[in-house]
Amino acid sequence: MPAPRKYPDELRERAVREVRSTGRPIAHVAKDLGIHKEALRGWVRQAEADTGERDDRLTTAEREELRQLRRENAELRRANEILKATSAFCAAELDRPRTRPTR
């Protein structure tokens, strides 16, 4: 489970909207809203990537897809390891000589 966000989504949206609509420097908007300027800078960059203005970052949708694919990949790797171990166990059982019970 991810850590809780320090700033609410509404504040993030408002801050990004203010920087983009007014053209004021990020540091000034951040100070006015009580936000760390580097946090706001990252939000603005992400908003620019989401709207196609930047191509040096993944969009939010691409990030989520990548996160999901990595999670799925890890799950498949775990399942594969379980299947390998089960296969090796079953093969060892089949190769073991069987003894007949004595009467």
Side-chain angles (χ1 to χ4, degrees):
M1 178 177 250
R5 290 185 161 187
K6 184 173 182 181
Y7 302 106
D9 290 337
E10 297 81 22
L11 179 61
R12 290 170 176 250
E13 293 168 9
R14 177 179 168 212
V16 169
R17 192 172 47 247
E18 189 170 333
V19 167
R20 297 185 76 195
S21 65
T22 64
R24 290 179 57 211
I26 290 174
H28 293 188
V29 173
K31 185 177 181 184
D32 290 347
L33 297 176
I35 302 169
H36 193 277
K37 65 182 179 181
E38 291 306 316
L40 179 54
R41 186 178 320 281
W43 302 341
V44 171
R45 286 180 178 165
Q46 189 62 51
E48 290 170 350
D50 288 346
T51 58
E53 297 172 35
R54 296 181 75 102
D55 59 355
D56 61 336
R57 296 178 73 121
L58 295 176
T59 65
T60 302
E62 290 170 333
R63 283 177 184 262
E64 182 57 38
E65 180 183 13
L66 181 59
R67 189 176 300 119
Q68 177 61 32
L69 290 171
R70 285 181 174 166
R71 200 173 333 176
E72 183 180 337
N73 193 7
E75 183 179 328
L76 290 172
R77 286 180 190 271
R78 282 190 299 272
N80 200 16
E81 288 300 317
I82 291 169
L83 290 172
K84 282 181 186 178
T86 303
S87 176
F89 176 78
C90 291
E93 286 293 314
L94 290 174
D95 289 342
R96 193 173 64 178
R98 297 180 185 201
T99 58
R100 292 189 175 187
T102 56
R103 293 187 188 216

